[in-house]
Amino acid sequence: MLKGFKDFLLRGNVVDLAVAVVMGTAFVAIVTAFSDGVINPLLALFGGSNQLGLGFQLVADKPATFVAIGPIITAALNFVIIAALLYFVLVIPANKAKSRWGSKDDALTDNELLHQIRDLLAERSAGGKHES
């Protein structure tokens, strides 16, 4: 039971996922700091004299009905920046390294494997029949 758990933990996908979560968390912190320091002040310019920021009020004189557009724009920009950073800093170099140093195994596609199984089963069933 413990051997199976150890194999699961040491499988490549689990380790890759753990690294991705840690790297993603680090990028989120950097991008959030950038957004808070640069993007939010720029969006506040478009908010005019409104203390609540960029958005609109549904009911006049009720601050609770304010629909804030600034945080939505900031979240969308955070997502795009994080995705771009991860893609250009991690994915592209990993793909280049895999193509340069990765093993060139002759892995079969699912369909090819199924065809081989079908052919082997057909041979076995044809060879197992006895004519009288």
Side-chain angles (χ1 to χ4, degrees), residues 73-86:
I73 294 170
T74 302
L77 288 173
N78 284 351
F79 174 77
V80 170
I81 292 169
I82 290 169
L85 283 173
L86 288 175

Side-chain angles (χ1 to χ4, degrees), residues 23-87:
M23 293 299 293
T25 303
F27 278 128
V28 166
I30 292 169
V31 172
T32 301
F34 174 76
S35 295
D36 291 343
V38 177
I39 294 174
N40 287 345
L42 291 174
L43 289 175
L45 289 174
F46 298 108
S49 62
N50 190 349
Q51 290 180 338
L52 299 174
L54 181 61
F56 57 92
Q57 193 103 11
L58 293 175
V59 178
D61 299 331
K62 281 194 167 186
T65 63
F66 183 77
V67 177
I69 304 296
I72 297 169
I73 294 170
T74 302
L77 288 173
N78 284 351
F79 174 77
V80 170
I81 292 169
I82 290 169
L85 283 173
L86 288 175
Y87 181 74

Side-chain angles (χ1 to χ4, degrees), residues 75-100:
L77 288 173
N78 284 351
F79 174 77
V80 170
I81 292 169
I82 290 169
L85 283 173
L86 288 175
Y87 181 74
F88 291 112
V89 173
L90 294 176
V91 174
I92 289 177
N95 287 342
K96 285 184 181 180
K98 188 184 292 185
S99 68
R100 181 177 291 171

